[in-house]
Every structure is written in structure tokens, then in C-alpha cells.
Amino acid sequence: MPRKVTDKAFVQQRQRFNSSWPMVGAILLLVVMGMGIGLAMSYPIMANPLYVISQLQAGQLDESTLETAAILLPIVFWMLIICLLLFVMLGWQMMNNEKRLLKILASQQR
């Protein structure tokens, strides 16, 4: 069973998270952008639709590559759906935390 956090500890925890977020968020953005750029440069067939179109028009894509892409497309689609669902659930939890914090602050102002 999860441990019940007191209101004071909860507010302090939120303050710590809030103060560290700019650095953590910037690092995460840089990592994601780096991964995207690295993928596009290393494997343009996976990340650059213009490259794929030019390869298709030139007839330079193997049939096995097209088969692999056709197999992986549904997997990528469902992974994207799962990621979006997790993102919405995370947002839901964040709003619950903010609602709790607002209640705590409102009760302290009375």
C-alpha cells in the first residue's frame, strides 16, 4: 500500500520538482533531438520520407526492405498509440497533483 504523504511534505516535494524541471526538461529535449538527428543521419530510410521517395522512384529499394517496412509499420503505429495513451495518463496524474496542491494552498489561505 502506498505511503500517505503529508501536505507539507507534498508541497516541499512539488517545490523541489518544480525547481529542477528547467534543467531536466532542457536535457530531455536535447536528448530527444539528438536521437532524432542521429537517426536521420545514420538511417535516412527510417526517418526521411523524401529519401525514401527518391529511392522508390529510382527503383533502388530492395523488396526485402519494403517487406520489412510493411511488417514494422503496424508495430510502430501501435507503439505510437501506446505512447500517446501514456502521455494522456501522465497528464491526468499531473492534473490530479495540481488539484491537490491547489486544495492545500486554498486551505492554508483561509
Side-chain angles (χ1 to χ4, degrees):
M1 180 149 66
R3 177 175 64 93
K4 182 77 172 160
V5 179
T6 65
D7 290 344
K8 183 177 180 179
F10 178 74
V11 171
Q12 290 172 343
Q13 180 186 38
R14 298 292 302 160
Q15 288 172 335
R16 278 195 316 273
F17 286 156
N18 192 314
S19 65
S20 65
W21 174 249
M23 182 180 60
V24 171
I27 290 171
L28 288 174
L29 284 175
L30 289 174
V31 167
V32 171
M33 288 175 21
M35 287 172 44
I37 291 169
L39 177 67
M41 292 175 69
S42 300
Y43 303 102
I45 197 167
M46 293 181 70
N48 187 348
L50 298 176
Y51 176 81
V52 173
I53 290 170
S54 69
Q55 293 294 307
L56 279 172
Q57 290 173 341
Q60 294 184 356
L61 283 181
D62 295 343
E63 187 174 324
S64 63
T65 302
L66 292 174
E67 289 173 357
T68 303
I71 291 168
L72 290 177
L73 183 60
I75 295 169
V76 170
F77 173 79
W78 285 110
M79 288 293 112
L80 177 63
I81 294 298
I82 290 169
C83 286
L84 290 173
L85 286 172
L86 290 173
F87 182 72
V88 170
M89 290 170 56
L90 177 64
W92 196 294
Q93 185 58 44
M94 288 170 49
M95 289 300 108
N96 282 338
N97 283 342
E98 294 307 312
K99 183 178 179 181
R100 178 179 175 190
L101 185 59
L102 290 173
K103 283 181 183 178
I104 293 168
L105 294 175
S107 70
Q108 288 181 351
Q109 289 178 353
R110 288 185 207 150

